[in-house]
Amino acid sequence: MFWKGVFMKKKRGFYIFVVGCGIAFLLAGCGTNVFTSMGMVPAPTTADALSDSIDDATTAEDYQTIETAADVIIASATATDEEKKAAYVVKAEAILGANEITPLSILETVVDLSDSGADETEIFTELVASGDAKSAADAYNNAADQGDLNDNINRGVVNAVAAVNMINESFTVGEGDVELKDDTKTYFETLQEVVDPNQDGNTDDGATHYMSEANEAFDDAENLSSDQSSELGNVTDKSDALNTLYTTAATGGNYTLSDNTTVYVSSNSADDANLQTALDDIFN
């Protein structure tokens, strides 16, 4: 099924891929100095100091101090685009750090879940809460035109986390069917909160947006094997199908399934069975 291989169809390949992403985090470095041993990080006032401070943070308060300092630089009228880009990247790292997400914890989580035979989706749900994943992903995405390889790998992973968590919060994807987490809602309402959570017709805040950003980041990184690129393309196809299903249902129309048959989908609860059929087709 779709989620049994968010990046790779085979479990072993998926774990290797995520471990590789974790190694990319490690290559970014995580030095320490006297502030670490003292359990304190001073509030940085420049982009360079901000980048140095993230390596010294050890507590939630440290990361909050750094995130706040990053916001000051981002909002500054005198900061250059490069300084703001660096501040966005550090802000993303601070958000993850506040949730105790470190390079080592990513690798440990992957290895532990792999050893236990857990479903790959659990890797993402164990790493970071959905809201924080989205905030970190937004910060990475705002650091436009990043040239650093590690930043793009990190950006891709965090965007994928955000997308998967958004879908996981609303749907239970099983073997052969997709069920609602909240059965007081219709399938259309649930699909809408995944694809267009603000219900404003703009899908730039939904799961398909974050998966698209993940795809763009990995493309920018230019560090994926041909097999990984192919599997990521498969994931993107699924994400695009989810977006197409939503836009079709929003106005009412026929949605084409993988076997080239069609079902009529709409926002009307009377058509919920057809929406479920379409979701089953997408995810399995």
Side-chain angles (χ1 to χ4, degrees), residues 245 248-249 252-266 271-282:
L245 176 61
T248 302
N254 290 320
Y255 177 81
T256 303
L257 304 175
S258 57
D259 63 2
N260 288 323
T261 60
T262 62
V263 290
Y264 183 82
V265 294
S266 76
D271 296 317
D272 252 16
N274 287 345
L275 266 178
Q276 182 178 16
T277 296
L279 286 166
D280 291 346
D281 184 69
I282 290 171

mmCIF file with all atom_site columns, all heavy atoms in Angstrom, residues 245 248-249 252-266 271-282:
data_model
loop_
_atom_site.group_PDB
_atom_site.id
_atom_site.type_symbol
_atom_site.label_atom_id
_atom_site.label_alt_id
_atom_site.label_comp_id
_atom_site.label_asym_id
_atom_site.label_entity_id
_atom_site.label_seq_id
_atom_site.pdbx_PDB_ins_code
_atom_site.Cartn_x
_atom_site.Cartn_y
_atom_site.Cartn_z
_atom_site.occupancy
_atom_site.B_iso_or_equiv
_atom_site.pdbx_formal_charge
_atom_site.auth_seq_id
_atom_site.auth_comp_id
_atom_site.auth_asym_id
_atom_site.auth_atom_id
_atom_site.pdbx_PDB_model_num
ATOM 1   N N   . LEU A 1 245 ? -8.640  14.790 -6.710  1.00 0.00 ? 245 LEU A N   1
ATOM 2   C CA  . LEU A 1 245 ? -9.888  14.283 -6.139  1.00 0.00 ? 245 LEU A CA  1
ATOM 3   C C   . LEU A 1 245 ? -10.617 15.394 -5.388  1.00 0.00 ? 245 LEU A C   1
ATOM 4   O O   . LEU A 1 245 ? -11.833 15.551 -5.530  1.00 0.00 ? 245 LEU A O   1
ATOM 5   C CB  . LEU A 1 245 ? -9.599  13.113 -5.200  1.00 0.00 ? 245 LEU A CB  1
ATOM 6   C CG  . LEU A 1 245 ? -10.809 12.535 -4.457  1.00 0.00 ? 245 LEU A CG  1
ATOM 7   C CD1 . LEU A 1 245 ? -11.839 11.989 -5.444  1.00 0.00 ? 245 LEU A CD1 1
ATOM 8   C CD2 . LEU A 1 245 ? -10.363 11.440 -3.482  1.00 0.00 ? 245 LEU A CD2 1
ATOM 9   N N   . THR A 1 248 ? -12.046 18.050 -7.790  1.00 0.00 ? 248 THR A N   1
ATOM 10  C CA  . THR A 1 248 ? -13.182 17.500 -8.530  1.00 0.00 ? 248 THR A CA  1
ATOM 11  C C   . THR A 1 248 ? -14.418 17.431 -7.651  1.00 0.00 ? 248 THR A C   1
ATOM 12  O O   . THR A 1 248 ? -15.522 17.822 -8.058  1.00 0.00 ? 248 THR A O   1
ATOM 13  C CB  . THR A 1 248 ? -12.851 16.085 -9.056  1.00 0.00 ? 248 THR A CB  1
ATOM 14  O OG1 . THR A 1 248 ? -11.694 16.128 -9.882  1.00 0.00 ? 248 THR A OG1 1
ATOM 15  C CG2 . THR A 1 248 ? -14.019 15.515 -9.861  1.00 0.00 ? 248 THR A CG2 1
ATOM 16  N N   . ALA A 1 249 ? -14.214 16.955 -6.413  1.00 0.00 ? 249 ALA A N   1
ATOM 17  C CA  . ALA A 1 249 ? -15.355 16.828 -5.496  1.00 0.00 ? 249 ALA A CA  1
ATOM 18  C C   . ALA A 1 249 ? -15.897 18.190 -5.083  1.00 0.00 ? 249 ALA A C   1
ATOM 19  O O   . ALA A 1 249 ? -17.107 18.351 -4.859  1.00 0.00 ? 249 ALA A O   1
ATOM 20  C CB  . ALA A 1 249 ? -14.942 16.029 -4.262  1.00 0.00 ? 249 ALA A CB  1
ATOM 21  N N   . GLY A 1 252 ? -18.015 19.038 -7.912  1.00 0.00 ? 252 GLY A N   1
ATOM 22  C CA  . GLY A 1 252 ? -18.870 17.934 -8.353  1.00 0.00 ? 252 GLY A CA  1
ATOM 23  C C   . GLY A 1 252 ? -18.487 17.480 -9.743  1.00 0.00 ? 252 GLY A C   1
ATOM 24  O O   . GLY A 1 252 ? -18.468 18.293 -10.677 1.00 0.00 ? 252 GLY A O   1
ATOM 25  N N   . GLY A 1 253 ? -18.113 16.220 -9.883  1.00 0.00 ? 253 GLY A N   1
ATOM 26  C CA  . GLY A 1 253 ? -17.725 15.721 -11.193 1.00 0.00 ? 253 GLY A CA  1
ATOM 27  C C   . GLY A 1 253 ? -17.245 14.286 -11.134 1.00 0.00 ? 253 GLY A C   1
ATOM 28  O O   . GLY A 1 253 ? -17.214 13.660 -10.066 1.00 0.00 ? 253 GLY A O   1
ATOM 29  N N   . ASN A 1 254 ? -16.876 13.749 -12.298 1.00 0.00 ? 254 ASN A N   1
ATOM 30  C CA  . ASN A 1 254 ? -16.406 12.369 -12.380 1.00 0.00 ? 254 ASN A CA  1
ATOM 31  C C   . ASN A 1 254 ? -14.904 12.297 -12.132 1.00 0.00 ? 254 ASN A C   1
ATOM 32  O O   . ASN A 1 254 ? -14.121 13.050 -12.734 1.00 0.00 ? 254 ASN A O   1
ATOM 33  C CB  . ASN A 1 254 ? -16.730 11.780 -13.755 1.00 0.00 ? 254 ASN A CB  1
ATOM 34  C CG  . ASN A 1 254 ? -18.215 11.554 -13.948 1.00 0.00 ? 254 ASN A CG  1
ATOM 35  O OD1 . ASN A 1 254 ? -18.908 11.114 -13.034 1.00 0.00 ? 254 ASN A OD1 1
ATOM 36  N ND2 . ASN A 1 254 ? -18.714 11.864 -15.141 1.00 0.00 ? 254 ASN A ND2 1
ATOM 37  N N   . TYR A 1 255 ? -14.519 11.381 -11.251 1.00 0.00 ? 255 TYR A N   1
ATOM 38  C CA  . TYR A 1 255 ? -13.107 11.160 -10.942 1.00 0.00 ? 255 TYR A CA  1
ATOM 39  C C   . TYR A 1 255 ? -12.688 9.829  -11.559 1.00 0.00 ? 255 TYR A C   1
ATOM 40  O O   . TYR A 1 255 ? -13.373 8.815  -11.396 1.00 0.00 ? 255 TYR A O   1
ATOM 41  C CB  . TYR A 1 255 ? -12.875 11.143 -9.433  1.00 0.00 ? 255 TYR A CB  1
ATOM 42  C CG  . TYR A 1 255 ? -11.438 10.838 -9.056  1.00 0.00 ? 255 TYR A CG  1
ATOM 43  C CD1 . TYR A 1 255 ? -10.464 11.839 -9.094  1.00 0.00 ? 255 TYR A CD1 1
ATOM 44  C CD2 . TYR A 1 255 ? -11.056 9.555  -8.679  1.00 0.00 ? 255 TYR A CD2 1
ATOM 45  C CE1 . TYR A 1 255 ? -9.148  11.561 -8.781  1.00 0.00 ? 255 TYR A CE1 1
ATOM 46  C CE2 . TYR A 1 255 ? -9.741  9.272  -8.347  1.00 0.00 ? 255 TYR A CE2 1
ATOM 47  C CZ  . TYR A 1 255 ? -8.790  10.276 -8.397  1.00 0.00 ? 255 TYR A CZ  1
ATOM 48  O OH  . TYR A 1 255 ? -7.489  9.988  -8.075  1.00 0.00 ? 255 TYR A OH  1
ATOM 49  N N   . THR A 1 256 ? -11.553 9.836  -12.256 1.00 0.00 ? 256 THR A N   1
ATOM 50  C CA  . THR A 1 256 ? -11.095 8.626  -12.946 1.00 0.00 ? 256 THR A CA  1
ATOM 51  C C   . THR A 1 256 ? -10.210 7.794  -12.027 1.00 0.00 ? 256 THR A C   1
ATOM 52  O O   . THR A 1 256 ? -9.193  8.273  -11.508 1.00 0.00 ? 256 THR A O   1
ATOM 53  C CB  . THR A 1 256 ? -10.309 8.992  -14.215 1.00 0.00 ? 256 THR A CB  1
ATOM 54  O OG1 . THR A 1 256 ? -11.127 9.791  -15.068 1.00 0.00 ? 256 THR A OG1 1
ATOM 55  C CG2 . THR A 1 256 ? -9.878  7.726  -14.957 1.00 0.00 ? 256 THR A CG2 1
ATOM 56  N N   . LEU A 1 257 ? -10.605 6.527  -11.849 1.00 0.00 ? 257 LEU A N   1
ATOM 57  C CA  . LEU A 1 257 ? -9.844  5.602  -11.022 1.00 0.00 ? 257 LEU A CA  1
ATOM 58  C C   . LEU A 1 257 ? -8.689  5.006  -11.824 1.00 0.00 ? 257 LEU A C   1
ATOM 59  O O   . LEU A 1 257 ? -8.580  5.203  -13.039 1.00 0.00 ? 257 LEU A O   1
ATOM 60  C CB  . LEU A 1 257 ? -10.760 4.493  -10.504 1.00 0.00 ? 257 LEU A CB  1
ATOM 61  C CG  . LEU A 1 257 ? -12.001 4.950  -9.713  1.00 0.00 ? 257 LEU A CG  1
ATOM 62  C CD1 . LEU A 1 257 ? -12.872 3.744  -9.361  1.00 0.00 ? 257 LEU A CD1 1
ATOM 63  C CD2 . LEU A 1 257 ? -11.598 5.696  -8.450  1.00 0.00 ? 257 LEU A CD2 1
ATOM 64  N N   . SER A 1 258 ? -7.830  4.255  -11.144 1.00 0.00 ? 258 SER A N   1
ATOM 65  C CA  . SER A 1 258 ? -6.639  3.704  -11.799 1.00 0.00 ? 258 SER A CA  1
ATOM 66  C C   . SER A 1 258 ? -6.983  2.688  -12.880 1.00 0.00 ? 258 SER A C   1
ATOM 67  O O   . SER A 1 258 ? -6.167  2.435  -13.778 1.00 0.00 ? 258 SER A O   1
ATOM 68  C CB  . SER A 1 258 ? -5.721  3.056  -10.760 1.00 0.00 ? 258 SER A CB  1
ATOM 69  O OG  . SER A 1 258 ? -6.405  2.051  -10.029 1.00 0.00 ? 258 SER A OG  1
ATOM 70  N N   . ASP A 1 259 ? -8.186  2.101  -12.827 1.00 0.00 ? 259 ASP A N   1
ATOM 71  C CA  . ASP A 1 259 ? -8.586  1.135  -13.861 1.00 0.00 ? 259 ASP A CA  1
ATOM 72  C C   . ASP A 1 259 ? -9.345  1.821  -14.996 1.00 0.00 ? 259 ASP A C   1
ATOM 73  O O   . ASP A 1 259 ? -9.961  1.151  -15.831 1.00 0.00 ? 259 ASP A O   1
ATOM 74  C CB  . ASP A 1 259 ? -9.430  0.013  -13.251 1.00 0.00 ? 259 ASP A CB  1
ATOM 75  C CG  . ASP A 1 259 ? -10.733 0.513  -12.651 1.00 0.00 ? 259 ASP A CG  1
ATOM 76  O OD1 . ASP A 1 259 ? -11.012 1.738  -12.731 1.00 0.00 ? 259 ASP A OD1 1
ATOM 77  O OD2 . ASP A 1 259 ? -11.485 -0.312 -12.093 1.00 0.00 ? 259 ASP A OD2 1
ATOM 78  N N   . ASN A 1 260 ? -9.326  3.176  -14.992 1.00 0.00 ? 260 ASN A N   1
ATOM 79  C CA  . ASN A 1 260 ? -9.950  4.006  -16.027 1.00 0.00 ? 260 ASN A CA  1
ATOM 80  C C   . ASN A 1 260 ? -11.478 4.060  -15.944 1.00 0.00 ? 260 ASN A C   1
ATOM 81  O O   . ASN A 1 260 ? -12.120 4.639  -16.827 1.00 0.00 ? 260 ASN A O   1
ATOM 82  C CB  . ASN A 1 260 ? -9.527  3.559  -17.433 1.00 0.00 ? 260 ASN A CB  1
ATOM 83  C CG  . ASN A 1 260 ? -8.079  3.921  -17.709 1.00 0.00 ? 260 ASN A CG  1
ATOM 84  O OD1 . ASN A 1 260 ? -7.592  4.974  -17.287 1.00 0.00 ? 260 ASN A OD1 1
ATOM 85  N ND2 . ASN A 1 260 ? -7.381  3.035  -18.411 1.00 0.00 ? 260 ASN A ND2 1
ATOM 86  N N   . THR A 1 261 ? -12.058 3.475  -14.895 1.00 0.00 ? 261 THR A N   1
ATOM 87  C CA  . THR A 1 261 ? -13.481 3.680  -14.659 1.00 0.00 ? 261 THR A CA  1
ATOM 88  C C   . THR A 1 261 ? -13.639 4.991  -13.881 1.00 0.00 ? 261 THR A C   1
ATOM 89  O O   . THR A 1 261 ? -12.673 5.536  -13.361 1.00 0.00 ? 261 THR A O   1
ATOM 90  C CB  . THR A 1 261 ? -14.098 2.527  -13.854 1.00 0.00 ? 261 THR A CB  1
ATOM 91  O OG1 . THR A 1 261 ? -13.431 2.433  -12.581 1.00 0.00 ? 261 THR A OG1 1
ATOM 92  C CG2 . THR A 1 261 ? -13.935 1.206  -14.607 1.00 0.00 ? 261 THR A CG2 1
ATOM 93  N N   . THR A 1 262 ? -14.854 5.509  -13.845 1.00 0.00 ? 262 THR A N   1
ATOM 94  C CA  . THR A 1 262 ? -15.073 6.775  -13.153 1.00 0.00 ? 262 THR A CA  1
ATOM 95  C C   . THR A 1 262 ? -16.133 6.627  -12.065 1.00 0.00 ? 262 THR A C   1
ATOM 96  O O   . THR A 1 262 ? -17.008 5.751  -12.139 1.00 0.00 ? 262 THR A O   1
ATOM 97  C CB  . THR A 1 262 ? -15.518 7.880  -14.131 1.00 0.00 ? 262 THR A CB  1
ATOM 98  O OG1 . THR A 1 262 ? -16.764 7.500  -14.734 1.00 0.00 ? 262 THR A OG1 1
ATOM 99  C CG2 . THR A 1 262 ? -14.461 8.122  -15.189 1.00 0.00 ? 262 THR A CG2 1
ATOM 100 N N   . VAL A 1 263 ? -16.016 7.491  -11.066 1.00 0.00 ? 263 VAL A N   1
ATOM 101 C CA  . VAL A 1 263 ? -17.049 7.584  -10.032 1.00 0.00 ? 263 VAL A CA  1
ATOM 102 C C   . VAL A 1 263 ? -17.388 9.058  -9.864  1.00 0.00 ? 263 VAL A C   1
ATOM 103 O O   . VAL A 1 263 ? -16.519 9.927  -9.994  1.00 0.00 ? 263 VAL A O   1
ATOM 104 C CB  . VAL A 1 263 ? -16.585 6.998  -8.677  1.00 0.00 ? 263 VAL A CB  1
ATOM 105 C CG1 . VAL A 1 263 ? -16.448 5.490  -8.765  1.00 0.00 ? 263 VAL A CG1 1
ATOM 106 C CG2 . VAL A 1 263 ? -15.284 7.633  -8.206  1.00 0.00 ? 263 VAL A CG2 1
ATOM 107 N N   . TYR A 1 264 ? -18.654 9.340  -9.583  1.00 0.00 ? 264 TYR A N   1
ATOM 108 C CA  . TYR A 1 264 ? -19.062 10.730 -9.383  1.00 0.00 ? 264 TYR A CA  1
ATOM 109 C C   . TYR A 1 264 ? -18.793 11.112 -7.935  1.00 0.00 ? 264 TYR A C   1
ATOM 110 O O   . TYR A 1 264 ? -19.247 10.444 -6.994  1.00 0.00 ? 264 TYR A O   1
ATOM 111 C CB  . TYR A 1 264 ? -20.542 10.932 -9.703  1.00 0.00 ? 264 TYR A CB  1
ATOM 112 C CG  . TYR A 1 264 ? -20.967 12.379 -9.561  1.00 0.00 ? 264 TYR A CG  1
ATOM 113 C CD1 . TYR A 1 264 ? -20.735 13.286 -10.587 1.00 0.00 ? 264 TYR A CD1 1
ATOM 114 C CD2 . TYR A 1 264 ? -21.570 12.837 -8.378  1.00 0.00 ? 264 TYR A CD2 1
ATOM 115 C CE1 . TYR A 1 264 ? -21.098 14.628 -10.457 1.00 0.00 ? 264 TYR A CE1 1
ATOM 116 C CE2 . TYR A 1 264 ? -21.936 14.176 -8.247  1.00 0.00 ? 264 TYR A CE2 1
ATOM 117 C CZ  . TYR A 1 264 ? -21.688 15.059 -9.283  1.00 0.00 ? 264 TYR A CZ  1
ATOM 118 O OH  . TYR A 1 264 ? -22.037 16.381 -9.143  1.00 0.00 ? 264 TYR A OH  1
ATOM 119 N N   . VAL A 1 265 ? -18.045 12.193 -7.739  1.00 0.00 ? 265 VAL A N   1
ATOM 120 C CA  . VAL A 1 265 ? -17.721 12.643 -6.390  1.00 0.00 ? 265 VAL A CA  1
ATOM 121 C C   . VAL A 1 265 ? -18.178 14.089 -6.211  1.00 0.00 ? 265 VAL A C   1
ATOM 122 O O   . VAL A 1 265 ? -18.182 14.879 -7.164  1.00 0.00 ? 265 VAL A O   1
ATOM 123 C CB  . VAL A 1 265 ? -16.208 12.545 -6.099  1.00 0.00 ? 265 VAL A CB  1
ATOM 124 C CG1 . VAL A 1 265 ? -15.758 11.088 -6.085  1.00 0.00 ? 265 VAL A CG1 1
ATOM 125 C CG2 . VAL A 1 265 ? -15.388 13.340 -7.107  1.00 0.00 ? 265 VAL A CG2 1
ATOM 126 N N   . SER A 1 266 ? -18.574 14.424 -4.985  1.00 0.00 ? 266 SER A N   1
ATOM 127 C CA  . SER A 1 266 ? -19.009 15.790 -4.694  1.00 0.00 ? 266 SER A CA  1
ATOM 128 C C   . SER A 1 266 ? -18.899 16.026 -3.195  1.00 0.00 ? 266 SER A C   1
ATOM 129 O O   . SER A 1 266 ? -18.514 15.140 -2.434  1.00 0.00 ? 266 SER A O   1
ATOM 130 C CB  . SER A 1 266 ? -20.453 16.008 -5.158  1.00 0.00 ? 266 SER A CB  1
ATOM 131 O OG  . SER A 1 266 ? -21.358 15.396 -4.252  1.00 0.00 ? 266 SER A OG  1
ATOM 132 N N   . ASP A 1 271 ? -22.674 11.198 -1.670  1.00 0.00 ? 271 ASP A N   1
ATOM 133 C CA  . ASP A 1 271 ? -21.630 10.654 -2.543  1.00 0.00 ? 271 ASP A CA  1
ATOM 134 C C   . ASP A 1 271 ? -20.396 10.186 -1.764  1.00 0.00 ? 271 ASP A C   1
ATOM 135 O O   . ASP A 1 271 ? -19.335 9.946  -2.348  1.00 0.00 ? 271 ASP A O   1
ATOM 136 C CB  . ASP A 1 271 ? -21.205 11.709 -3.574  1.00 0.00 ? 271 ASP A CB  1
ATOM 137 C CG  . ASP A 1 271 ? -22.332 12.074 -4.519  1.00 0.00 ? 271 ASP A CG  1
ATOM 138 O OD1 . ASP A 1 271 ? -23.034 11.150 -4.982  1.00 0.00 ? 271 ASP A OD1 1
ATOM 139 O OD2 . ASP A 1 271 ? -22.526 13.279 -4.780  1.00 0.00 ? 271 ASP A OD2 1
ATOM 140 N N   . ASP A 1 272 ? -20.534 10.065 -0.436  1.00 0.00 ? 272 ASP A N   1
ATOM 141 C CA  . ASP A 1 272 ? -19.403 9.665  0.400   1.00 0.00 ? 272 ASP A CA  1
ATOM 142 C C   . ASP A 1 272 ? -18.824 8.310  0.010   1.00 0.00 ? 272 ASP A C   1
ATOM 143 O O   . ASP A 1 272 ? -17.605 8.110  0.038   1.00 0.00 ? 272 ASP A O   1
ATOM 144 C CB  . ASP A 1 272 ? -19.821 9.631  1.875   1.00 0.00 ? 272 ASP A CB  1
ATOM 145 C CG  . ASP A 1 272 ? -19.211 10.789 2.655   1.00 0.00 ? 272 ASP A CG  1
ATOM 146 O OD1 . ASP A 1 272 ? -18.743 11.756 2.023   1.00 0.00 ? 272 ASP A OD1 1
ATOM 147 O OD2 . ASP A 1 272 ? -19.190 10.723 3.896   1.00 0.00 ? 272 ASP A OD2 1
ATOM 148 N N   . ALA A 1 273 ? -19.690 7.381  -0.363  1.00 0.00 ? 273 ALA A N   1
ATOM 149 C CA  . ALA A 1 273 ? -19.207 6.046  -0.726  1.00 0.00 ? 273 ALA A CA  1
ATOM 150 C C   . ALA A 1 273 ? -18.280 6.114  -1.933  1.00 0.00 ? 273 ALA A C   1
ATOM 151 O O   . ALA A 1 273 ? -17.274 5.398  -2.004  1.00 0.00 ? 273 ALA A O   1
ATOM 152 C CB  . ALA A 1 273 ? -20.386 5.114  -1.010  1.00 0.00 ? 273 ALA A CB  1
ATOM 153 N N   . ASN A 1 274 ? -18.612 6.991  -2.878  1.00 0.00 ? 274 ASN A N   1
ATOM 154 C CA  . ASN A 1 274 ? -17.758 7.141  -4.057  1.00 0.00 ? 274 ASN A CA  1
ATOM 155 C C   . ASN A 1 274 ? -16.421 7.791  -3.689  1.00 0.00 ? 274 ASN A C   1
ATOM 156 O O   . ASN A 1 274 ? -15.372 7.436  -4.235  1.00 0.00 ? 274 ASN A O   1
ATOM 157 C CB  . ASN A 1 274 ? -18.465 7.985  -5.117  1.00 0.00 ? 274 ASN A CB  1
ATOM 158 C CG  . ASN A 1 274 ? -19.590 7.231  -5.798  1.00 0.00 ? 274 ASN A CG  1
ATOM 159 O OD1 . ASN A 1 274 ? -19.674 6.005  -5.695  1.00 0.00 ? 274 ASN A OD1 1
ATOM 160 N ND2 . ASN A 1 274 ? -20.448 7.946  -6.489  1.00 0.00 ? 274 ASN A ND2 1
ATOM 161 N N   . LEU A 1 275 ? -16.462 8.750  -2.764  1.00 0.00 ? 275 LEU A N   1
ATOM 162 C CA  . LEU A 1 275 ? -15.217 9.371  -2.313  1.00 0.00 ? 275 LEU A CA  1
ATOM 163 C C   . LEU A 1 275 ? -14.329 8.343  -1.618  1.00 0.00 ? 275 LEU A C   1
ATOM 164 O O   . LEU A 1 275 ? -13.114 8.325  -1.809  1.00 0.00 ? 275 LEU A O   1
ATOM 165 C CB  . LEU A 1 275 ? -15.514 10.526 -1.359  1.00 0.00 ? 275 LEU A CB  1
ATOM 166 C CG  . LEU A 1 275 ? -15.594 11.929 -1.951  1.00 0.00 ? 275 LEU A CG  1
ATOM 167 C CD1 . LEU A 1 275 ? -15.937 12.952 -0.872  1.00 0.00 ? 275 LEU A CD1 1
ATOM 168 C CD2 . LEU A 1 275 ? -14.291 12.310 -2.633  1.00 0.00 ? 275 LEU A CD2 1
ATOM 169 N N   . GLN A 1 276 ? -14.942 7.487  -0.813  1.00 0.00 ? 276 GLN A N   1
ATOM 170 C CA  . GLN A 1 276 ? -14.160 6.448  -0.152  1.00 0.00 ? 276 GLN A CA  1
ATOM 171 C C   . GLN A 1 276 ? -13.543 5.498  -1.175  1.00 0.00 ? 276 GLN A C   1
ATOM 172 O O   . GLN A 1 276 ? -12.387 5.103  -1.061  1.00 0.00 ? 276 GLN A O   1
ATOM 173 C CB  . GLN A 1 276 ? -15.019 5.658  0.836   1.00 0.00 ? 276 GLN A CB  1
ATOM 174 C CG  . GLN A 1 276 ? -14.216 4.592  1.597   1.00 0.00 ? 276 GLN A CG  1
ATOM 175 C CD  . GLN A 1 276 ? -15.036 3.844  2.618   1.00 0.00 ? 276 GLN A CD  1
ATOM 176 O OE1 . GLN A 1 276 ? -16.274 3.884  2.606   1.00 0.00 ? 276 GLN A OE1 1
ATOM 177 N NE2 . GLN A 1 276 ? -14.361 3.140  3.510   1.00 0.00 ? 276 GLN A NE2 1
ATOM 178 N N   . THR A 1 277 ? -14.317 5.159  -2.202  1.00 0.00 ? 277 THR A N   1
ATOM 179 C CA  . THR A 1 277 ? -13.797 4.300  -3.263  1.00 0.00 ? 277 THR A CA  1
ATOM 180 C C   . THR A 1 277 ? -12.584 4.947  -3.929  1.00 0.00 ? 277 THR A C   1
ATOM 181 O O   . THR A 1 277 ? -11.570 4.289  -4.194  1.00 0.00 ? 277 THR A O   1
ATOM 182 C CB  . THR A 1 277 ? -14.880 4.038  -4.320  1.00 0.00 ? 277 THR A CB  1
ATOM 183 O OG1 . THR A 1 277 ? -15.959 3.303  -3.731  1.00 0.00 ? 277 THR A OG1 1
ATOM 184 C CG2 . THR A 1 277 ? -14.315 3.242  -5.498  1.00 0.00 ? 277 THR A CG2 1
ATOM 185 N N   . ALA A 1 278 ? -12.673 6.255  -4.181  1.00 0.00 ? 278 ALA A N   1
ATOM 186 C CA  . ALA A 1 278 ? -11.568 6.970  -4.821  1.00 0.00 ? 278 ALA A CA  1
ATOM 187 C C   . ALA A 1 278 ? -10.351 7.013  -3.914  1.00 0.00 ? 278 ALA A C   1
ATOM 188 O O   . ALA A 1 278 ? -9.213  6.833  -4.376  1.00 0.00 ? 278 ALA A O   1
ATOM 189 C CB  . ALA A 1 278 ? -12.008 8.375  -5.182  1.00 0.00 ? 278 ALA A CB  1
ATOM 190 N N   . LEU A 1 279 ? -10.558 7.244  -2.625  1.00 0.00 ? 279 LEU A N   1
ATOM 191 C CA  . LEU A 1 279 ? -9.431  7.277  -1.684  1.00 0.00 ? 279 LEU A CA  1
ATOM 192 C C   . LEU A 1 279 ? -8.785  5.900  -1.555  1.00 0.00 ? 279 LEU A C   1
ATOM 193 O O   . LEU A 1 279 ? -7.560  5.780  -1.495  1.00 0.00 ? 279 LEU A O   1
ATOM 194 C CB  . LEU A 1 279 ? -9.930  7.764  -0.315  1.00 0.00 ? 279 LEU A CB  1
ATOM 195 C CG  . LEU A 1 279 ? -10.235 9.263  -0.214  1.00 0.00 ? 279 LEU A CG  1
ATOM 196 C CD1 . LEU A 1 279 ? -11.036 9.563  1.033   1.00 0.00 ? 279 LEU A CD1 1
ATOM 197 C CD2 . LEU A 1 279 ? -8.936  10.055 -0.215  1.00 0.00 ? 279 LEU A CD2 1
ATOM 198 N N   . ASP A 1 280 ? -9.612  4.867  -1.523  1.00 0.00 ? 280 ASP A N   1
ATOM 199 C CA  . ASP A 1 280 ? -9.068  3.499  -1.485  1.00 0.00 ? 280 ASP A CA  1
ATOM 200 C C   . ASP A 1 280 ? -8.186  3.266  -2.704  1.00 0.00 ? 280 ASP A C   1
ATOM 201 O O   . ASP A 1 280 ? -7.116  2.637  -2.610  1.00 0.00 ? 280 ASP A O   1
ATOM 202 C CB  . ASP A 1 280 ? -10.208 2.469  -1.480  1.00 0.00 ? 280 ASP A CB  1
ATOM 203 C CG  . ASP A 1 280 ? -10.995 2.479  -0.189  1.00 0.00 ? 280 ASP A CG  1
ATOM 204 O OD1 . ASP A 1 280 ? -10.520 3.080  0.794   1.00 0.00 ? 280 ASP A OD1 1
ATOM 205 O OD2 . ASP A 1 280 ? -12.104 1.888  -0.170  1.00 0.00 ? 280 ASP A OD2 1
ATOM 206 N N   . ASP A 1 281 ? -8.641  3.757  -3.847  1.00 0.00 ? 281 ASP A N   1
ATOM 207 C CA  . ASP A 1 281 ? -7.898  3.577  -5.107  1.00 0.00 ? 281 ASP A CA  1
ATOM 208 C C   . ASP A 1 281 ? -6.557  4.317  -5.059  1.00 0.00 ? 281 ASP A C   1
ATOM 209 O O   . ASP A 1 281 ? -5.544  3.818  -5.551  1.00 0.00 ? 281 ASP A O   1
ATOM 210 C CB  . ASP A 1 281 ? -8.745  4.089  -6.265  1.00 0.00 ? 281 ASP A CB  1
ATOM 211 C CG  . ASP A 1 281 ? -8.095  3.843  -7.620  1.00 0.00 ? 281 ASP A CG  1
ATOM 212 O OD1 . ASP A 1 281 ? -7.999  2.669  -8.017  1.00 0.00 ? 281 ASP A OD1 1
ATOM 213 O OD2 . ASP A 1 281 ? -7.691  4.845  -8.252  1.00 0.00 ? 281 ASP A OD2 1
ATOM 214 N N   . ILE A 1 282 ? -6.540  5.501  -4.448  1.00 0.00 ? 282 ILE A N   1
ATOM 215 C CA  . ILE A 1 282 ? -5.327  6.298  -4.385  1.00 0.00 ? 282 ILE A CA  1
ATOM 216 C C   . ILE A 1 282 ? -4.296  5.681  -3.454  1.00 0.00 ? 282 ILE A C   1
ATOM 217 O O   . ILE A 1 282 ? -3.108  5.576  -3.778  1.00 0.00 ? 282 ILE A O   1
ATOM 218 C CB  . ILE A 1 282 ? -5.635  7.741  -3.938  1.00 0.00 ? 282 ILE A CB  1
ATOM 219 C CG1 . ILE A 1 282 ? -6.397  8.489  -5.033  1.00 0.00 ? 282 ILE A CG1 1
ATOM 220 C CG2 . ILE A 1 282 ? -4.354  8.502  -3.587  1.00 0.00 ? 282 ILE A CG2 1
ATOM 221 C CD1 . ILE A 1 282 ? -6.920  9.852  -4.599  1.00 0.00 ? 282 ILE A CD1 1
#
